[in-house]
Amino acid sequence: MNQLAAPRIARSVCPHDCPSTCALDVEIIDQSTICRVRGAKDDPYTAGVICEKVARYAERIHHPKRLTQPLRRIGKKGDGQYVPISWDEAFDEIISRWKAITAEFGAEAIWPYFYAGTMGHVHRDGIERLRHAGGFSLQYDTICTGTAWPGFLAGAGKLTGPNPEEMAESDCIVIWGTNAVTTQVNVMTHAMRARKQRGAKVVAIDIYRNDTMEQADMALVVRPGTDGALAVAVMHILLRDNLADRAYMTRWTDFSPEFEAHLATRTPAWAAAITGLSVDEIEAFARLVGTTPKTYFRLGYGFTRQRNGATTMHAALSIASMTGAWQHKGGGAFHSNSGAWKLDKSLILGAELAQGTPRELDMSEIGKVLTGDAEALRNGPPVKALFIQNTNPVNIAPDQGLTRAGFAREDLFTVVHEQFMTDTAQMADIVLPATMFLEHNDYYRRGGHTRVLYGPKLVDAPGECRSNFEVVNELLRRLGAEHVSLGMTDRDMVAETFRRSGFGELAEVEKTGFVEMPQTEAQSHFAEGFGWPDGRYRFAPNWAGVAAAKGYNWVCDPAEMPLFADHWDVTERVDATTPFRLATSPARAFLNSSFAETPGSQKRHPTPTVMVHPADASRLGIAEGDRLVLGNARGAVELTATLFDGMQTGVLIAEGLHPNAAHAGGRGINTLIGSDPVKPFGGAAFHDTSVWLRRA
């Protein structure tokens, strides 16, 4: 009599900022309760495997500390003193304050700020309708892709590549600049399949011996910011030993005598001095990729989180064009398929609502913006109001000291629409409770594979939670805007976007849950030519063409950029004052600041730590478990020492973004990270910081 009914299984899709965008099978207990979450076995990329974070999603959606009602601040900013209010009270206060700010300072004094807390386009990008309708300041998106995508585009001319499922058909897989076990576990699914079935070799290149490195046949641990030197030395060897495909380069690239002369100086000995690798390691890697036609380069974001990140991406990408690996199934290079989709998002974005030509503010410079830096403000009015969805800048933005100072301004009116009381929500005047992905309808297109997936609403949200779509539309109504989206549901928005994009009717898409990418295998391998008008890959990167095609803003003189694929020595300098190079790498159970609140993630990562090489620790009198202080001109942060010899001396690794309060003193790791824009088009150099180190 007391037996529970068996849960039903419903199809969904992971909404988080990960290239895998896994298809999910979710156990639904009742209209408000889920149980287990598994990877969909019938999805060829997910292949039944998902990360531990999402497998434990019941911890997150049913967390007792979820926000479930609107709140108004009554104490000092950051003190956490709030009282419940109604949605009408919240909307009335928001609109009243916005109108007063607009009357005094102009609409540009209001800045809607968002990013990738959900990768669903309806609930992520709909904030742009609000921005356009209000004439509010624009956002220049630099914090993630700004250092990676330009480097790929500068060579290939289009952001696409061979289907990642082809890794299973490769004879060599090079996992470069991504700890796939931690950040996109499905890469390992297909790489290990190739090893088991074909005897493929797996190479991992990174700055420390992480979980992915442990599974590799060849693991190359380089100094941070030196991957470009390795790449051009490999190309030097390919030419020297006649392993380059000269016929392919003649037909499909801009290869020139000048480039060959440039590479003649990039010897293995030269690269060894820069990277910290041995000459033998560099020679062995070059020989492996030069004698294995079906080599698949899986290029991640990690090595682009440097001040030379764009040129490094281009240099690593160039190897596949020198070997001609693109010609083979299971060969070529891949970073993202984000440039291959032909999505019509016009309904979601609502560009026709635009009022005037507002300034564009760099999201990575939010600290400078909020503390009144005239250049960051584009010599315009101060930002007097923020409306934040899908991001947690008080924790994740660089230059955290400036960011926190800006958010602490009493004259800054901040509204945060969130699922938990994050570091940013704690600085808000109004906090609004948000839905999670199983509680609304959306679709998800991510760069890591070849499908758009539909994620339907499966359960009801707790309390008074409202979706991003609902909140944006209500604000539009109260601003007096008129738009077709105001008469639609989030499901209607998905359906109409699919129609406009030529994907057919949502009712048909629902039968399988996905739309396959409209790109042939030949196109993904650039067999019909690369993305530039002449169809040729650029060993001499076309930065100007990238800027023109994507609307990127130059942050340097174009003449500063290297003429050819190269190592560009512009990373933050280490010196006698700050002798260590720090990288803030992803932790296995966190995703940026998401999941930091769940019990399973907290158990795996209970406290902020920093890895120190034993030789450095011995010299400084540091023991395992010591409290340490890392600092530079931007501030200081406390962490706990972990001794680890899987990196080069002089390097420090701090995994994961813990909440600021997890650090003694309440200052998070991004206190140490600079917000100076990365050349050529902006971005944040999260893995490129010089610091001093001492015992606390």
Side-chain angles (χ1 to χ4, degrees), residues 184-205:
Q184 42 182 318
V185 66
N186 309 89
V187 167
M188 303 307 295
T189 298
H190 300 285
M192 294 302 108
R193 184 175 295 167
R195 172 191 278 169
K196 182 177 180 180
Q197 296 179 354
R198 302 176 58 83
K201 299 297 183 183
V202 176
V203 181
I205 306 172

Side-chain angles (χ1 to χ4, degrees), residues 30-202:
D30 56 40
Q31 196 53 40
S32 61
T33 312
I34 72 165
C35 188
R36 294 184 180 89
V37 178
R38 297 185 176 91
K41 292 182 179 180
D42 59 354
D43 181 273
Y45 188 69
T46 301
V49 180
I50 58 173
C51 68
E52 64 176 67
K53 302 179 288 290
V54 176
R56 297 193 312 266
Y57 217 87
E59 288 185 355
R60 193 164 195 273
I61 196 169
H62 301 310
H63 198 290
K65 292 187 178 180
R66 270 196 72 176
L67 296 170
T68 58
Q69 56 188 336
L71 303 170
R72 177 192 288 123
R73 177 174 64 89
I74 57 172
K76 184 180 178 181
K77 287 194 175 184
D79 283 354
Q81 297 182 51
Y82 290 86
V83 294
I85 57 175
S86 70
W87 275 100
D88 276 337
E89 288 176 293
F91 285 130
D92 287 345
E93 183 166 346
I94 293 167
I95 297 301
S96 174
R97 294 288 294 272
W98 284 2
K99 287 182 176 179
I101 289 168
T102 299
E104 184 173 358
F105 299 98
E108 286 184 318
I110 300 171
W111 192 19
Y113 190 94
F114 78 109
Y115 207 57
T118 177
M119 296 303 292
H121 289 186
V122 171
H123 293 275
R124 184 190 69 188
D125 299 331
I127 196 173
E128 297 291 2
R129 295 198 305 284
L130 180 64
R131 188 192 311 279
H132 292 317
F136 304 146
S137 284
L138 306 179
Q139 176 176 291
Y140 186 40
D141 296 342
T142 57
I143 206 162
C144 178
T145 65
T147 54
W149 289 7
F152 197 101
L153 289 166
K158 186 177 180 181
L159 192 61
T160 187
N163 186 337
E165 294 164 30
E166 286 188 27
M167 282 185 284
E169 302 183 54
S170 303
D171 295 323
C172 176
I173 300 103
V174 180
I175 302 172
W176 198 335
T178 178
N179 181 4
V181 171
T182 290
T183 62
Q184 42 182 318
V185 66
N186 309 89
V187 167
M188 303 307 295
T189 298
H190 300 285
M192 294 302 108
R193 184 175 295 167
R195 172 191 278 169
K196 182 177 180 180
Q197 296 179 354
R198 302 176 58 83
K201 299 297 183 183
V202 176

Side-chain angles (χ1 to χ4, degrees), residues 205-395:
I205 306 172
D206 216 312
I207 59 174
Y208 70 115
R209 197 174 66 238
N210 50 44
D211 290 339
T212 304
M213 293 280 227
E214 295 291 351
Q215 297 192 36
D217 300 289
M218 179 183 291
L220 303 178
V221 179
V222 300
R223 293 190 182 115
T226 66
D227 303 76
L230 172 61
V232 292
V234 166
M235 289 189 281
H236 167 98
I237 295 167
L238 294 173
L239 291 170
R240 183 200 68 192
D241 294 353
N242 296 317
L243 297 174
D245 190 332
R246 289 183 178 271
Y248 181 84
M249 290 194 292
T250 298
R251 174 67 181 88
W252 291 114
T253 79
D254 67 346
F255 184 76
S256 65
E258 293 78 13
F259 181 48
E260 186 161 10
H262 161 72
L263 290 179
T265 66
R266 293 344 193 213
T267 65
W270 167 86
I274 295 170
T275 63
L277 296 172
S278 69
V279 168
D280 287 346
E281 286 177 305
I282 297 170
E283 293 274 6
F285 175 50
R287 188 162 52 251
L288 176 62
V289 300
T291 58
T292 311
K294 297 178 71 169
T295 294
Y296 192 106
F297 292 84
R298 184 59 175 89
L299 306 175
Y301 283 94
F303 63 36
T304 73
R305 305 285 198 232
Q306 313 277 345
R307 286 171 176 79
N308 60 8
T311 58
T312 298
M313 172 63 81
H314 173 257
L317 172 67
S318 294
I319 299 173
S321 291
M322 183 164 283
T323 64
W326 302 102
Q327 301 168 95
H328 310 284
K329 189 167 187 178
F334 183 85
H335 173 63
S336 173
N337 262 329
S338 298
W341 289 98
K342 304 298 182 184
L343 275 161
D344 184 340
K345 294 168 57 177
S346 56
L347 180 64
I348 296 170
L349 300 175
E352 66 276 14
L353 293 167
Q355 304 290 314
T357 55
R359 64 186 171 181
E360 186 175 51
L361 303 177
D362 186 338
M363 67 179 306
S364 295
E365 295 188 293
I366 187 171
K368 293 178 181 178
V369 167
L370 296 183
T371 52
D373 183 282
E375 184 177 356
L377 287 165
R378 307 297 180 255
N379 297 308
V383 167
K384 290 287 186 175
L386 289 169
F387 177 68
I388 298 174
Q389 290 183 326
N390 305 325
T391 189
N392 181 15
V394 175
N395 181 246

Side-chain angles (χ1 to χ4, degrees), residues 376-626:
L377 287 165
R378 307 297 180 255
N379 297 308
V383 167
K384 290 287 186 175
L386 289 169
F387 177 68
I388 298 174
Q389 290 183 326
N390 305 325
T391 189
N392 181 15
V394 175
N395 181 246
I396 71 168
D399 249 333
Q400 188 181 108
L402 284 179
T403 302
R404 287 161 61 112
F407 270 87
R409 286 170 35 207
E410 284 295 335
D411 68 328
L412 177 70
F413 177 62
T414 301
V415 179
V416 174
H417 188 200
E418 252 296 356
Q419 298 161 349
F420 293 95
M421 189 60 78
T422 62
D423 287 308
T424 304
Q426 292 174 45
M427 303 298 287
D429 298 280
I430 300 288
V431 179
L432 305 174
T435 54
M436 292 188 183
F437 76 105
L438 297 173
E439 300 160 353
H440 55 240
N441 298 285
D442 214 332
Y443 74 91
Y444 304 85
R445 178 235 72 197
R446 197 54 177 134
H449 62 72
T450 61
R451 288 181 172 181
V452 163
L453 299 107
Y454 174 57
K457 179 180 183 294
L458 297 178
V459 293
D460 294 332
E464 300 177 44
C465 293
R466 294 192 186 183
S467 71
N468 292 357
F469 174 82
E470 293 173 290
V471 171
V472 164
N473 273 12
E474 184 60 26
L475 289 170
L476 285 170
R477 291 186 190 96
R478 292 180 182 238
L479 285 172
E482 295 182 2
H483 192 253
V484 63
S485 64
L486 299 183
M488 303 174 75
T489 65
D490 54 6
R491 179 184 166 83
D492 295 335
M493 292 286 279
V494 174
E496 182 58 24
T497 299
F498 280 9
R499 289 189 198 103
R500 295 185 180 195
S501 302
F503 293 171
E505 295 299 315
L506 178 56
E508 289 299 310
V509 174
E510 279 186 293
K511 293 177 181 178
T512 60
F514 67 89
V515 177
E516 192 62 64
M517 175 176 285
Q519 180 172 256
T520 66
E521 184 178 311
Q523 289 171 326
S524 69
H525 282 262
F526 297 106
E528 301 163 359
F530 289 88
W532 299 113
D534 63 0
R536 293 179 179 272
Y537 181 85
R538 298 291 192 265
F539 289 116
N542 187 355
W543 302 112
V546 172
K550 301 294 290 184
Y552 288 137
N553 303 329
W554 284 96
V555 300
C556 67
D557 182 342
E560 294 180 43
M561 303 298 293
L563 179 60
F564 295 114
D566 206 359
H567 166 62
W568 195 22
D569 187 17
V570 293
T571 53
E572 188 161 283
R573 291 290 180 262
V574 295
D575 54 28
T577 304
T578 52
F580 288 92
R581 186 168 299 284
L582 169 70
T584 57
S585 301
R588 187 163 186 167
F590 293 167
L591 203 166
N592 297 320
S593 66
S594 297
F595 296 95
E597 69 286 329
T598 58
S601 295
Q602 291 174 345
K603 183 177 180 180
R604 182 180 276 274
H605 307 298
T607 188
T609 61
V610 60
M611 301 180 197
V612 184
H613 195 283
D616 293 323
S618 177
R619 179 170 51 83
L620 295 173
I622 293 170
E624 180 77 21
D626 280 353

Side-chain angles (χ1 to χ4, degrees), residues 623-680:
E624 180 77 21
D626 280 353
R627 288 195 306 115
L628 304 180
V629 182
L630 280 63
N632 56 25
R634 303 177 189 104
V637 177
E638 289 198 25
L639 304 100
T640 299
T642 296
L643 304 192
F644 181 62
D645 65 359
M647 56 199 180
Q648 299 194 27
T649 57
V651 175
L652 304 173
I653 305 292
E655 287 188 330
L657 277 177
H658 290 260
N660 296 339
H663 298 261
R667 292 180 295 272
I669 194 67
N670 284 326
T671 300
L672 304 171
I673 308 302
S675 62
D676 47 305
V678 174
K679 303 171 183 178

